[in-house]
């Protein structure tokens, strides 16, 4: 298979070339070789979200790229990433899903001072787990994420995984105006109490989707990352039978998704194995129908005319090697009850789209406009000053019951840990799923477990960014 070779020196040079602040760039290549040192710079740039011939959109981007450069680390190998802030405001970088020392977690005012414009911060950590992760700012999150600051962070297995190709789709959406510029109005209070800022333009690896070229007979590992502010996706692969092999980077029992539909909320990742069994020359749609009245074709698998790569499809089962996660001991666990509360209490069930539809709803101002966890609301991005919601004994297993008492969906993210997803609404969750972000439907209750082995103050929040910044956020202290 073809591999786009980028040497470490080229990566570093690309990083430092950014003295020029405004660049017109192509989408990131979908494959890089691993390195242990990177330098990335968030700053203003222009991006061809609507394709090479479309109008350029002013964005904020890492190294001028949408999505940010794909960072590839190696499991168990120390990494050093220098972040140089070329924005006109403070920033930080959060390495979403990586189990790392608290001081490297990238939360301003909680784990580090903010990186001021023109300043740099050096992040150093050794990723213990192989898998699909991502990175994004944790300051002025609505704008910084909503204007484009996000990238994939891949941690490679110690031994290569036997697939023909490793594909990465960084999926996000944007709210663009008629001139293809990012619409203002971040932090709209009505949206914050409902579905959040769902955009009107979805991009795949930084551009409106075209086709994904594939070859008959090949076995593809497809890494899906949803970096949207608020858009939940439900993906169907017509004519294919994708097998889920990891959720949020953590290997699970290989399984086909329920009803063939993959739910991918903001910040969530899924690794799939897909055996390409279409005929040479055929085309097959990949559809997102979460907002069912607004289903659209995300992209299309376009088969090359070449003869199949192998005569008989592979049928060997595929399982990723396990990561060294501490196994919670449920017999000796501390119990934690978390209630998610607030938001608009209409009966719309969360399948409400932002943008156009939202503007027609100015009259609906009753209902609670903010969110809380166990009655407390941490808002904005200033994480300083609020005491932790609770303190967990270091080293103890934790059994968490999380109840969504609201009428809206919430992808709930815990920093610093991966947790087992044990139960949903009382029923055991199959396939040994681990996650760092769990999607709760309206009124869902989930049961999670993890070992509080990593000391520090850790954020717990909804990854629909409007919900996070409007109160659906708290801090758990371990130690
Ligand atoms: Cu990706 Cu605090 O989150
Ligand atoms: Cu939420």
């Amino acid at each position: 298979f073809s591999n786009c070779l980028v040497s470490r020196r080229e990566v570093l040079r690309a990083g430092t070339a950014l003295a020029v602040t405004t660049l017109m760039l192509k989408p990131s290549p979908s494959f890089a070789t691993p390195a242990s040192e990177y330098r990335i710079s968030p700053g203003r740039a222009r991006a061809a979200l609507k394709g090479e011939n479309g109008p350029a959109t002013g964005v904020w981007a890492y190294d001028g790229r949408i999505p940010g450069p794909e960072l590839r680390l190696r499991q168990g190998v120390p990494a050093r990433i220098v972040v140089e802030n070329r924005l006109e405001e403070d920033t930080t970088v959060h390495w979403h899903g990586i189990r790392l020392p608290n001081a490297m977690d990238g939360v301003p005012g909680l784990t580090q001072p903010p990186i001021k414009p023109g300043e740099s911060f050096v992040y150093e950590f050794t990723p213990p787990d192989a898998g699909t992760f991502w990175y994004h700012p944790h300051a002025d999150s609505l704008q910084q994420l909503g204007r484009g600051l996000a990238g994939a962070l891949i941690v490679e297995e110690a031994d290569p995984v036997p697939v023909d190709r490793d594909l990465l789709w960084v999926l996000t959406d944007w709210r663009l105006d008629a001139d293809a510029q990012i619409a203002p109005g971040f932090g709209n209070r009505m949206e914050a109490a409902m579905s959040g800022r769902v955009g009107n333009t979805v991009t795949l690896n930084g551009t409106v989707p075209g086709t994904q070229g594939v070859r008959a007979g090949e076995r593809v590992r497809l890494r899906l990352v949803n970096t949207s502010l608020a858009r939940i996706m439900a993906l169907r692969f017509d004519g294919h039978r994708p097998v889920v092999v990891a959720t949020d980077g953590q290997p699970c029992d290989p399984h086909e998704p329920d009803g063939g539909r993959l739910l991918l909320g903001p910040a969530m990742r899924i690794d799939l194995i897909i055996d390409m069994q279409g005929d040479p020359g055929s085309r097959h749609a990949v559809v997102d129908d979460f907002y069912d009245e607004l289903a659209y074709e995300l992209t299309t698998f376009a088969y090359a005319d070449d003869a199949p790569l192998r005569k008989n499809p592979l049928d060997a089962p595929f399982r990723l090697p396990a990561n060294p996660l501490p196994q919670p001991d449920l017999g000796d666990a501390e119990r934690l009850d978390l209630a998610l509360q607030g938001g608009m209490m209409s009966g719309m069930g969360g399948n409400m789209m932002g943008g156009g539809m939202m503007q027609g709803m100015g009259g609906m101002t009753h209902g609670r406009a903010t969110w809380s966890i166990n009655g407390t609301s941490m808002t904005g991005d200033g994480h300083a000053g609020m005491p932790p919601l609770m303190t967990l004994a270091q080293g103890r297993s934790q059994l968490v019951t999380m109840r969504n008492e609201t009428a809206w969906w919430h992808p709930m993210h815990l920093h610093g840990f991966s947790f087992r997803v044990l139960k949903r609404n009382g029923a055991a969750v199959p396939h040994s799923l681990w996650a760092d972000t769990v999607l709760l439907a309206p009124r869902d209750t989930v049961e999670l477990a993890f070992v509080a082995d990593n000391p520090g103050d850790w954020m717990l929040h909804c990854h629909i960014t409007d919900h996070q910044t409007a109160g659906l956020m708290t801090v758990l202290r371990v130690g």
Side-chain angles (χ1 to χ4, degrees):
F1 55 85
S2 78
N3 188 339
C4 163
L5 291 169
V6 183
S7 73
R8 195 190 120 210
R9 189 171 302 130
E10 279 167 324
V11 169
L12 292 175
R13 203 187 307 131
T16 47
L18 267 186
V20 194
T21 49
T22 301
L23 297 169
M24 178 78 187
L25 289 139
K26 301 202 161 94
S28 302
S30 70
F31 212 149
T33 46
S36 55
E37 287 193 36
Y38 287 96
R39 168 180 285 272
I40 54 171
S41 304
R44 286 179 187 266
R46 297 177 70 73
L49 302 180
K50 296 228 166 183
E52 291 302 300
N53 302 317
T57 303
V59 296
W60 297 357
Y62 292 109
D63 291 6
R65 290 185 182 189
I66 299 292
E70 177 185 334
L71 306 183
R72 278 202 171 237
L73 307 177
R74 278 234 166 88
Q75 182 175 24
V77 175
R80 183 173 191 272
I81 306 173
V82 181
V83 176
E84 188 188 343
N85 184 5
R86 295 184 182 277
L87 296 166
E88 286 132 50
E89 60 181 46
D90 293 355
T91 194
T92 60
V93 177
H94 171 57
W95 313 97
H96 183 117
I98 303 280
R99 298 188 292 133
L100 40 57
N102 192 249
M104 296 292 120
D105 197 43
V107 183
L110 187 75
T111 68
Q112 69 167 90
I115 313 172
K116 299 219 154 15
E119 293 185 350
S120 297
F121 189 89
V122 182
Y123 291 93
E124 288 180 295
F125 56 87
T126 302
D129 304 321
T132 304
F133 304 93
W134 68 295
Y135 62 97
H136 62 82
H138 224 284
D140 192 13
S141 298
L142 267 168
Q143 282 217 74
Q144 292 194 13
L145 190 53
R147 292 186 183 279
L149 289 168
L153 173 60
I154 307 296
V155 182
E156 293 193 351
E157 289 79 11
D159 298 314
V161 159
V163 293
D164 296 312
R165 270 205 298 167
D166 188 329
L167 284 178
L168 168 66
W169 289 0
V170 179
L171 306 172
T172 193
D173 79 345
W174 310 77
R175 186 173 297 172
L176 300 182
D177 65 17
D179 300 322
Q181 300 310 304
I182 293 171
F186 287 98
N188 174 298
R189 285 177 64 191
M190 181 69 60
E191 284 179 346
M194 303 174 81
S195 55
R197 181 175 160 116
V198 177
N200 53 19
T201 305
V202 173
T203 58
L204 186 162
N205 294 346
T207 188
V208 286
T211 57
Q212 170 70 61
V214 294
R215 180 160 177 201
E218 68 175 340
R219 172 168 278 189
V220 169
R221 176 183 192 168
L222 176 58
R223 303 172 189 261
L224 304 170
V225 185
N226 182 351
T227 70
S228 305
L229 280 183
R231 178 183 289 266
I232 301 167
M233 297 178 172
L235 302 180
R236 281 191 295 109
F237 293 77
D238 285 354
H240 291 79
R241 302 182 65 182
V243 174
V244 178
V245 293
T247 51
D248 291 350
Q250 302 296 355
C252 58
D253 299 339
H255 63 280
E256 291 186 25
D258 265 1
R261 205 164 171 255
L262 283 168
L263 272 179
L264 193 69
M268 293 166 67
R269 290 89 62 212
I270 293 177
D271 284 42
L272 298 174
I273 295 294
I274 310 181
D275 288 316
M276 291 298 165
Q277 291 173 8
D279 295 329
S282 67
R283 297 167 76 89
H284 302 264
V286 180
V287 171
D288 170 12
D289 61 2
F290 180 76
Y291 305 95
D292 36 29
E293 70 278 24
L294 295 164
Y296 64 99
E297 215 171 282
L298 174 67
T299 187
T300 303
F301 283 139
Y303 277 76
D305 291 324
D306 310 15
L309 186 65
R310 48 178 66 83
K311 243 178 67 220
N312 298 307
L314 290 174
D315 54 8
F318 182 99
R319 174 181 284 273
L320 288 170
N323 280 327
L325 289 159
Q327 298 291 331
D329 173 0
L330 298 182
D332 180 40
E334 292 185 331
R335 300 189 70 100
L336 212 73
D337 285 306
L338 299 172
L340 316 181
Q341 297 152 335
M344 193 78 84
M345 285 297 170
S346 62
M348 278 177 287
N351 272 355
M352 261 292 304
M353 192 65 178
M357 284 168 69
M358 203 58 65
Q359 277 140 33
M361 308 197 55
M364 296 190 45
T365 49
H366 52 279
R368 284 173 290 163
T370 55
W371 306 90
S372 60
I373 299 177
N374 291 8
T376 64
S377 306
M378 177 176 280
T379 57
D381 287 279
H383 309 303
M386 239 183 91
L389 183 69
M390 28 191 123
T391 299
L392 318 179
Q394 190 181 338
R396 281 289 291 282
S397 294
Q398 306 291 329
L399 181 56
V400 185
T401 302
M402 198 183 285
R403 248 180 14 252
N404 179 4
E405 299 178 353
T406 81
W408 303 91
W409 291 73
H410 303 292
M412 295 301 298
H413 172 47
L414 174 63
H415 286 209
F417 301 89
S418 287
F419 46 78
R420 271 294 314 273
V421 185
L422 297 172
K423 287 186 183 173
R424 188 179 292 271
N425 301 324
V429 172
H431 318 308
S432 309
L433 298 191
W434 292 80
D436 55 58
T437 306
V438 61
L439 185 61
L440 283 85
R443 313 293 176 191
D444 263 6
T445 296
V446 292
E447 240 176 74
L448 318 168
F450 67 101
V451 180
D453 58 349
N454 198 352
D457 285 350
W458 301 102
M459 303 300 302
L460 169 74
H461 63 82
C462 179
H463 227 291
I464 288 180
T465 315
D466 304 84
H467 296 177
Q468 172 194 347
T469 55
L472 208 45
M473 173 161 63
T474 193
V475 172
L476 301 179
R477 174 167 293 171
V478 174

